[in-house]
Amino acid sequence: MASVHESLYFNPMMTNGVVHANVFGIKDWVTPYKIAVLVLLNEMGRTGEGAVSLMERRRLNQLLLPLLQGPDITLSKLYKLIEDSCPQLANSVQIRIKLMAEGELKDMEQFFDDLSDSFSGTEPEVHKTSVVGLFLRHMILAYSKLSFSQVFKLYTALQQYFQSGEKKTVEDADMELTGREDGERKMEKEDLDVSVREEEVSCSGPLSQKQAEFFLSQQASLLKNDETKALTPASLQKELNNLLKFNPDFAEAHYLSYLNNLRVQDVFSSTHSLLHYFDRLILTGAEGKSNGEEGYGRSLRYAALNLAALHCRFGHYQQAELALQEAIRIAQESNDHVCLQHCLSWLYVLGQKRADSYVLLEHSVKKAVHFGLPRAFAGKTANKLMDALKDSDLLHWKHSLSELIDISIAQKTAIWRLYGRSTMALQQAQMLLSMNSLESVHSGVQQNNTESFAVALCHLAELHAEQGCFAAAAEVLKHLKERFPPNSQHAQLWMLCDQKIQFDRAMNDGKYHLADSLVTGITALNSMEGVYRKAVVLQAQNQMSEAHKLLQKLLSHCEKLKNTEMVISVLLSVAELYWRSSCPTIAMPVLLHALALSKEYRLQYLASETVLNLAFAQLILGIPEQALTLLHMAIEPVLADGAILDKGRAMFLVAKCQVASAASCDPPKKAEALEAAIENLNEAKNYFAKVDCKERIRDVLYFQARLYHMLGKTQERNRCAMLFRQLHQELPSHGVPLINHL
């Protein structure tokens, strides 16, 4: 069919197979598929209202728009679509096409002559300005412009189109008859699949202007909102190459090629397509004067800006900075403040390694407010940040910017988790997942495959895993894997989330060799997180020197990047390393530094965790009363919003402090304190059991057995001792005193 299309229209514009003109100058042309659609429309007009039910007519009307706008499909597939909507009409269409294809050329001529009757009369079957009316008029006009030789080639193509459809129908029947024999059925099905693909390729000629625009807009919408429903990267690129073969100056096709190459992280092809897109905008004059600005210069500065964003995405920060400087220079010459604001935002992203990045962000926010551009504010305090997000949300809701609303809610989810408010984070994530999109969507596409949706689902998986609901977390991850396949652009989010959850479970279970094997995957997705997890594994394996070296390097790197959350986490790990090395006095300044940072940045949960570590250090130093006082200050946020493991650690520490404080008390008070400690240990053991943390359950059982022995409860002591022995034989012993392990 491709050769038929070329012979019909493209010979005057081609030399040695190369297109030298814009084929979209022709709005539409006649193809065998469109003749079949015309037959369908003609039969719908001839069929009376009583012959077709109201529900069937509704289904047919819904089917028409995709048939008119979409690319050509095989005749067998067209029959199947019509049969699903109205079986009676499908039979009539099949008979009409058969009579025309097996008849003579004059039958096709007569068919097109009769099409004009649809517009005649006082109450015509089709209105001239309707979608169907415009399609009919385009087809009649295109057919009337054909020469005799072109009409003959069109009729020959119609016969081939009909024969291929009949052949496909026969093959389907043969497959059904031989379907009972598994081996033969499998072989015939494979042969059928190949023939169908070849047939579809042979039917796919150059698209008309409307078909091309519909195809590009549909695929771009799918890539943005629901990537799994879009064509695969290879198939989409093949279609785009076929489209660009007939019209190399089609700018929108180059831009879709750029988006498609981003899916597979192809930096060379994506850069190539992006540059071609802006080149075509300039050459074709698609960028005219806009807002009083010259289109040529506008294309140049936004081309440089997009190129900077592309390099930044792939981590090529030096090339991104050079492209950004070019965009800033051109924007300043043109006095384009909006483009300069976008450049300033990207300048902050690229300049996060510099000390003045916060100044750049503040300037960016001021300029955004001046020019009416909403931007998120990343301040040092929670109230300023939430106020800025609230003001930004007002603009988003006012203008129904659904994508920015989704991004804002996803940001709030991450912010509440950062501040240690898991309940609020869960609420925001659920709000995003249950919120209906404000954007008008087409073809059954829902706006649930965006980056913000993936971020919210990842937070949900981590929140469930923190509470010991590993089955629920696995279901969320399974859904993520279905929604975002490994080759999609947002797949790295759930990959990192999955690796972190597996790592935490392996550490809780005492399987350090398995946790160590997961570090490589985490490092590939997030280098800082990978180095931190490696240090945690080394510390758990009593390789203190290696762990200390890694933590010191990571601490220095995070302080340069001003990654406060990771800095505090590293400081807590360094403090734990010190007291496990019997140096609690050295750990105190480190913990005080971490506490100061947590208070400065309002990171409540990290501040509570730091206070727990300070209380443990005071317990080791022999001042359990002060440790208990600190615990009463910090334990409430942990029990309210903390992870199950942290709740267990807090209750275990309370029990240790109670036992140490009762050492100098009278026997009745001491016994009462020990009973209270045993209750807290039971609660801690229940928490540890929810996350399957066998190592800490072993420590609790050992401590309970000692307390029962002190109280003279032999039966309970023996039960705890037996359980302790079972776990001790299963788990490796690290040779670290229990009192030095939080």
Side-chain angles (χ1 to χ4, degrees), residues 33 61-71 214:
Y33 162 75
N61 291 336
Q62 291 176 350
L63 176 65
L64 281 180
L65 193 59
L67 292 181
L68 297 179
Q69 293 181 331
F214 175 75

Side-chain angles (χ1 to χ4, degrees), residues 92-311:
S92 302
V93 171
Q94 189 172 6
I95 293 173
R96 283 286 299 275
I97 295 176
K98 182 178 181 180
L99 291 174
M100 190 185 304
E102 293 181 349
E104 298 178 356
L105 180 60
K106 65 179 181 179
D107 296 327
M108 187 177 71
E109 288 276 0
Q110 185 63 40
F111 171 73
F112 275 93
D113 291 340
D114 295 341
L115 283 179
S116 302
D117 297 338
S118 303
F119 304 108
S120 61
T122 56
E123 294 183 0
E125 299 175 359
V126 180
H127 292 283
K128 292 184 177 182
T129 56
S130 66
V131 175
V132 175
L134 290 174
F135 177 75
L136 288 175
R137 291 164 62 190
H138 286 162
M139 292 297 100
I140 294 172
L141 180 62
Y143 183 80
S144 64
K145 290 183 177 181
L146 294 178
S147 64
F148 178 78
S149 61
Q150 291 172 335
V151 170
F152 179 76
K153 289 180 180 179
L154 176 62
Y155 184 69
T156 305
L158 176 64
Q159 291 177 323
Q160 295 174 357
Y161 185 68
F162 170 74
Q163 291 170 2
S164 63
E166 290 294 308
K167 181 181 178 182
K168 173 68 168 54
T169 305
V170 172
E171 288 176 345
D172 284 341
D174 292 341
M175 187 182 69
E176 291 178 1
L177 292 175
T178 59
R180 296 178 182 178
E181 300 180 9
D182 295 339
E184 293 180 5
R185 179 185 64 180
K186 181 178 180 181
M187 183 171 60
E188 289 184 3
K189 187 176 180 181
E190 290 175 355
D191 295 340
L192 177 63
D193 289 340
V194 173
S195 63
V196 170
R197 286 195 296 268
E198 291 174 353
E199 182 183 1
E200 289 178 351
V201 170
S202 65
C203 284
S204 61
L207 302 178
S208 66
Q209 180 180 2
K210 290 184 178 180
Q211 287 178 324
E213 290 173 352
F214 175 75
F215 172 75
L216 294 178
S217 63
Q218 183 186 51
Q219 291 299 315
S221 177
L222 289 172
L223 289 182
K224 174 187 174 184
N225 298 322
D226 200 348
E227 191 174 338
T228 56
K229 294 182 180 179
L231 293 177
T232 62
S235 301
L236 180 56
Q237 195 60 44
K238 183 178 180 181
E239 294 294 332
L240 291 173
N241 291 339
N242 184 51
L243 189 62
L244 290 170
K245 180 178 70 173
F246 294 102
N247 185 13
D249 295 331
F250 196 13
E252 288 77 6
H254 286 288
Y255 191 78
L256 186 59
S257 176
Y258 156 69
L259 296 178
N260 189 45
N261 287 309
L262 280 182
R263 298 166 69 190
V264 294
Q265 306 296 314
D266 188 347
V267 59
F268 175 78
S269 299
S270 56
T271 306
H272 180 78
S273 298
L274 181 64
L275 294 177
H276 271 288
Y277 166 68
F278 283 101
D279 287 345
R280 265 56 185 186
L281 279 184
I282 297 171
L283 291 175
T284 58
E287 279 286 306
K289 293 185 177 180
S290 175
N291 299 327
E293 302 170 16
E294 189 211 354
Y296 179 83
R298 189 173 188 272
S299 295
L300 285 180
R301 55 183 174 270
Y302 278 99
L305 179 60
N306 279 272
L307 188 60
L310 175 64
H311 283 303

Side-chain angles (χ1 to χ4, degrees), residues 690-708:
K690 289 182 179 180
V691 291
D692 199 24
C693 190
K694 297 179 181 179
E695 181 182 354
R696 296 184 184 276
I697 294 175
R698 178 186 64 178
D699 296 346
V700 172
L701 289 171
Y702 170 81
F703 214 69
Q704 279 185 319
R706 295 289 300 269
L707 295 182
Y708 281 129

Side-chain angles (χ1 to χ4, degrees), residues 550-561 567 570:
L550 275 181
L551 289 173
Q552 290 298 329
K553 290 181 181 178
L554 182 60
L555 180 62
S556 176
H557 182 64
C558 293
E559 286 176 343
K560 290 180 180 178
L561 295 180
V567 167
V570 172

